Amino acid sequence: MSFAIAIIGRPNVGKSTLFNRLVGQKLALVDDQPGVTRDRREGDGRLGDLEFTLIDTAGLDEGPKGSLTARMQEQTEAAIAAADALMFVIDARAGLTPTDRAFADFARRANKPVVLVANKSEGKHGEAGAMESYALGLGDPIPISAEHGEGLSDLYDALRVLMPEPVERDDEEDDPESFENVDGEDENLSTRPIRVAVLGRPNAGKSTLINRLLGEERLLTSPEAGTTRDSIAVDVMWKGREFRVFDTAGLRRRSRIEDKLEKLSVSDALRAVRFAEVVVLMMDAQNKFEEQDLRLADLIEREGRAIVIAVNKWDLMERAPSQIARLREDADHLLPQVKGMPVVAVSGMMGEGIDRLMSAIEDAYGVWNRRISTASLNRWFEQAVQNNPPPAVSGRRLKLNYITQAKARPPSFVVFCSRADAIPESYLRYLVNSMRGAFDLPGTPIRITLREKDNPFAHKAKRKS
């Protein structure tokens, strides 16, 4: 692991803004109200030729034992324990507060190198607060503006003293935290981590499930809905295969979302879906296949991502024969656009069904990446058209000539035909369903694009006219 630096400080001093600035991406949610960050988030930071692991933390705050605030502070303490150095951030415009002084003592007791950062120091209003921070006894403050990128050269000098010699960067190495576009082809599918986003309504048990996968309380959980705000990425190893799993905020119906922070959380969750490879749609076993669940499944299909349905809290259900089979029947009936998708009953709390879920994710990923030879496709295509020809339009027969696969991830095909605009959607659905059965493509989105062949006699018709 590279040199790790934890960003700590009281709420609303700009820790997440500084985190985003140093990782070069807007990974952490930022808002004016305090307490936005709850879970700790890691990213690959870079400042000049310095490279390090950066850990964004919740604002240091006191709360009753067992409360959400207290557990947020436990997350911060875990980040401090894992870090090699600390960046203690204060708000230079607000000046020192009793909370800053209390947690400066906390930082000293960690017995790790501390860099004091006076954020929001731009302009005359920040100078007094930066000077006042000498009283904390944490050394010379580094006045910066994380929002505007000022003072980073001084921060570089302070970090350079603490860090080992920089290692030359391999520009071709993948950044595991970044949301890179996954629609392109990749030759190393069997070696790089599978990116998985866990999506669902609030309080479906997404964070609990991921904690069970990790074997530790890495993510905050609570009986109350809306605990998770950021999309947090964690690395999971299962039977020798690496997974990059993104926990996301619970998604309610759009009409119920009024709070600005919730809108930011929803936007972050949707971003995770767009750049995932497999999406686990988590449902509550006691309230499964509700309207919002179906909307989310349709969103995943439209984004072209492989989908696995996890029915959580299965330990609370009364077991009956053929219950899982009925779940699959319900899924195929309500979500025909991804017919055959894996449906797995799990319990994040008790650890039931975890192996089946991870196996289903790996299988769905394999189907999502599948390629079919053009010869096999056209043998199937000829038979499918012969069994069910497209309807005639205005007495003229539509000609479907041949098919080829344009790309995988998801499987996408091009059909060359005459009068593409006249072929009905129902016929395309017939082709998709037939293809699923013929080539074993359950659950994955399938794209079919129609393309008209050039008319070789078109130029002659123009000459006559």
Side-chain angles (χ1 to χ4, degrees), residues 2-309:
S2 63
F3 191 85
I5 303 172
I7 305 176
I8 63 172
R10 63 179 176 83
N12 212 30
V13 294
K15 299 184 297 298
S16 293
T17 303
L18 178 59
F19 175 87
N20 287 342
R21 172 69 63 178
L22 294 178
V23 300
Q25 300 179 67
K26 292 183 179 180
L27 296 181
L29 292 184
V30 175
D31 194 63
D32 292 335
Q33 69 184 76
V36 173
T37 302
R38 288 180 171 175
D39 292 288
R40 67 183 190 269
R41 175 194 285 276
E42 295 184 7
D44 293 328
R46 188 174 187 183
L47 188 57
D49 60 348
L50 303 181
E51 294 184 3
F52 42 85
T53 297
L54 205 58
I55 309 174
D56 187 23
T57 66
L60 291 165
D61 208 349
E62 294 179 330
K65 187 174 181 180
S67 67
L68 180 60
T69 302
R71 286 185 287 125
M72 286 164 59
Q73 183 158 335
E74 290 172 4
Q75 290 279 323
T76 300
E77 290 172 0
I80 291 172
D84 299 300
L86 309 177
M87 274 198 280
F88 188 91
V89 183
I90 67 160
D91 185 338
R93 294 197 170 198
L96 288 188
T97 67
T99 306
D100 287 322
R101 298 178 189 276
F103 289 120
D105 294 334
F106 179 82
R108 272 193 292 271
R109 289 196 299 272
N111 197 29
K112 294 189 176 182
V114 179
V115 175
L116 178 60
V117 177
N119 192 28
K120 307 181 187 179
S121 292
E122 67 274 19
K124 296 181 179 179
H125 297 290
E127 293 179 2
M131 295 300 293
E132 189 180 351
S133 63
Y134 277 99
L136 295 175
L138 295 175
D140 296 342
I142 311 297
I144 71 164
S145 170
E147 184 174 1
H148 299 100
E150 298 176 7
L152 295 184
S153 60
D154 294 330
L155 182 60
Y156 170 90
D157 293 337
L159 294 178
R160 183 69 190 85
V161 174
L162 304 179
M163 293 182 59
E165 288 295 322
V167 179
E168 288 190 14
R169 180 183 176 89
D170 181 4
D171 290 332
E172 295 182 358
E173 183 178 350
D174 287 334
D175 179 5
E177 180 64 18
S178 66
F179 289 125
E180 63 188 23
N181 193 322
V182 300
D183 288 327
E185 305 295 336
D186 193 326
E187 296 179 356
N188 300 316
L189 298 177
S190 61
T191 56
R192 67 176 185 78
I194 301 174
R195 288 192 294 279
V196 181
V198 183
L199 197 71
R201 289 182 286 119
N203 218 22
K206 300 180 290 296
S207 300
T208 302
L209 174 72
I210 296 174
N211 283 341
R212 175 64 64 173
L213 285 172
L214 292 170
E216 61 173 302
E217 292 297 315
R218 171 64 178 81
L219 302 169
L220 285 175
T221 59
S222 173
E224 65 182 81
T227 302
T228 301
R229 287 175 173 169
D230 287 278
S231 295
I232 303 296
V234 295
D235 293 315
V236 174
M237 180 69 73
W238 180 79
K239 293 187 177 180
R241 185 65 194 264
E242 289 184 78
F243 296 80
R244 187 75 162 158
V245 182
F246 291 86
D247 186 24
T248 64
L251 301 181
R252 299 193 296 165
R253 287 168 53 187
R254 185 180 299 179
S255 60
R256 296 183 179 179
I257 300 174
E258 297 178 354
D259 182 65
K260 176 187 174 185
L261 186 54
E262 186 175 359
K263 291 180 180 178
L264 291 173
S265 297
V266 168
S267 177
D268 201 34
L270 297 180
R271 181 169 174 262
V273 172
R274 281 193 293 272
F275 294 98
E277 294 166 315
V278 181
V279 179
V280 175
L281 177 57
M282 182 160 287
M283 302 179 185
D284 188 324
Q286 297 173 311
N287 301 285
K288 55 188 176 294
F289 296 113
E290 293 195 346
E291 182 182 358
Q292 180 67 353
D293 295 324
L294 303 183
R295 289 177 183 271
L296 293 177
D298 188 58
L299 166 72
I300 297 166
E301 192 277 337
R302 283 187 280 111
E303 291 293 342
R305 304 303 171 224
I307 180 172
V308 175
I309 290 183

Side-chain angles (χ1 to χ4, degrees), residues 364-399:
Y365 178 73
V367 173
W368 191 65
N369 282 282
R370 187 164 299 164
R371 277 196 163 277
I372 305 168
S373 70
T374 301
S376 299
L377 267 176
N378 281 284
R379 283 194 296 270
W380 158 80
F381 187 62
E382 183 180 354
Q383 189 65 46
V385 173
Q386 183 178 332
N387 292 341
N388 184 14
V393 177
S394 301
R396 295 176 58 189
R397 187 169 64 91
L398 300 176
K399 288 189 64 177

